[in-house]
Structures are given as C-alpha cells and as structure tokens.
Amino acid sequence: DSGVTQTPKHLITATGQRVTLRCSPRSGDLSVYWYQQSLDQGLQFLIQYYNGEERAKGNILERFSAQQFPDLHSELNLSSLELGDSALYFCASSVEGRGRDEQYFGPGTRLTVT
Amino acid sequence: DAKTTQPTSMDCAEGRAANLPCNHSTISGNEYVYWYRQIHSQGPQYIIHGLKNNETNEMASLIITEDRKSSTLILPHATLRDTAVYYCIVRVTDSWGKLQFGAGTQVVVTP
C-alpha cells in the first residue's frame, strides 16, 4: 500500500459525459501528479501540482482539467468523453515535486467510455 | 531528460538473481537514474534511484557504471511476485518532476 488513495476504482460512462476522478496524496506529500495509461500509448504524464499550484503539464487534452485543493487532495475532470479516453488513470504524490523525489502511485481508476 | 534503452523482455528463474540492464548514454551530470515496476495494471511502484554511487535497499541494488552511461538493477532473489514490467527512467534533479515512462522490460519469473 503506497498511501495514495484514488476513487472510484472503476467508472463506466457514455461518450459525451463528464467525470471526476479523485486522489488523496500520502500524508506529508505536497505534490500530486496525474498519469494516463492506455493500451496503445503506455504511461503518459498529464499534469503536476505542488501545494495547490500547477507546476508541469504534459500532453493533457483541453477537455481535461485538474486542480489541487487546500487540503492537498486533487481532482481530475474529464469532459466530452470519447471512446479513446478509456484508460487507467493514476495519481502519484511526492514530498517536494522535484526530480530528486520518488513518486508513489495510487491503485488507479479504470475508466471505460461506451 | 535523457532517453533510456532497455531490453523488451527477460526471463528469470525463481530464487536466482535478476539483472536488468539499462542504457542511458546521453545522461547529464544532474540527472538521477530511477527504477519503477508495474505489476499487471497496478500502480507503478518505486524501487530505487541513484545519482553516481551504487545503491541498495530492501528491494534491490542499483549499479551505475563509472561513466554513468548505463546501469543495472539487481533483484537478488527473484520470486514469482517480481513478475512485472520494469522501467528505467532518467530525471533531472531540480526540475519539476514528471516521470517519462518508456516501454520498459517485461520480466517473467518462472518456477
């Protein structure tokens, strides 16, 4: 158990809908990251927050947005969902958010868009 | 961040040491070598990281060559639970720290 929690574990929804994925970091960690893993793309970095502020952005679609709240939990919002958004979404956390930090991953949310 | 090259797959016998190579010939002086693994569809798991010196923890040992252009992850006594995809990742120490995952090495431990 990494100490990072993600909810829900599974999500099935229809195209065009909007969903919110939630992540609680390990106690004491200030930085949160979101990654997407689809069958054909592997693990892709989406976005990073540190203490509520966005710090790095990957190839995150404009239909996706995220935020980190004052209690440090984070939410990833996916809207106008398409079939290709079906994937595993992982959240990770680390103490400082820099390259010398190890990241600890949650168990993931499996999103299926039908 | 520097790119890494790993073999696509490796087999290992249970109880034997597994030696996983990684090439990172373009690594810079301020880049760490990190190893993660992912057991089928679970969240990636941190294993170990190092800058210049060899490192050891309860999970594995990391051997980095003197020129830092390659490294080897050693699982001293592989078990069936070590079957996973292993990722070697190079990261700049002070930048905001996304992990750039490649294809990794699929390690299968057999009885």
Side-chain angles (χ1 to χ4, degrees), chain B residues 4-64:
Chain B
T4 62
T5 305
Q6 299 178 250
T8 305
S9 64
M10 285 180 62
D11 290 338
C12 178
E14 190 179 19
R16 305 293 293 266
N19 296 300
L20 282 62
C22 179
N23 182 288
H24 32 78
S25 58
T26 60
I27 194 169
S28 301
N30 64 344
E31 290 180 309
Y32 277 96
V33 178
Y34 273 82
W35 283 84
Y36 282 78
R37 72 180 182 184
Q38 186 176 26
I39 298 168
H40 182 61
S41 294
Q42 295 181 21
Q45 179 186 21
Y46 165 77
I47 301 174
I48 198 166
H49 72 283
L51 188 61
K52 284 190 256 194
N53 300 320
N54 298 338
E55 302 287 344
T56 295
N57 63 20
E58 66 278 0
M59 284 184 72
S61 295
L62 174 61
I63 309 297
I64 303 174

Side-chain angles (χ1 to χ4, degrees), chain A:
Chain A
D1 182 357
S2 67
V4 178
T5 59
Q6 289 186 249
T7 56
K9 282 196 171 71
H10 301 277
L11 201 45
I12 302 174
T13 190
T15 53
Q17 294 299 305
R18 173 189 168 96
V19 297
T20 297
L21 312 184
R22 184 187 166 103
C23 168
S24 293
R26 293 186 321 156
S27 175
D29 285 357
L30 295 177
S31 195
V32 169
Y33 313 75
W34 287 96
Y35 291 83
Q36 178 192 54
Q37 186 173 32
S38 54
L39 278 174
D40 56 347
Q41 292 284 328
L43 270 158
Q44 301 282 325
F45 167 75
L46 294 178
I47 199 163
Q48 176 193 7
Y49 282 82
Y50 174 78
N51 207 20
E53 301 282 333
E54 182 186 306
R55 288 301 181 194
K57 220 167 182 176
N59 294 328
I60 186 167
L61 299 171
E62 283 192 16
R63 302 183 285 108
F64 295 3
S65 65
Q67 55 184 324
Q68 186 181 27
F69 294 87
D71 67 352
L72 301 176
H73 90 272
S74 178
E75 292 180 356
L76 179 67
N77 300 297
L78 315 176
S79 61
S80 303
L81 284 167
E82 301 174 0
L83 295 178
D85 298 326
S86 295
L88 273 166
Y89 291 85
F90 291 106
C91 167
S93 73
S94 72
V95 175
E96 292 181 2
R98 299 286 189 170
R100 54 181 171 265
D101 260 3
E102 50 264 33
Q103 294 180 22
Y104 292 89
F105 284 76
T109 292
R110 183 177 292 279
L111 174 66
T112 303
V113 182
T114 61

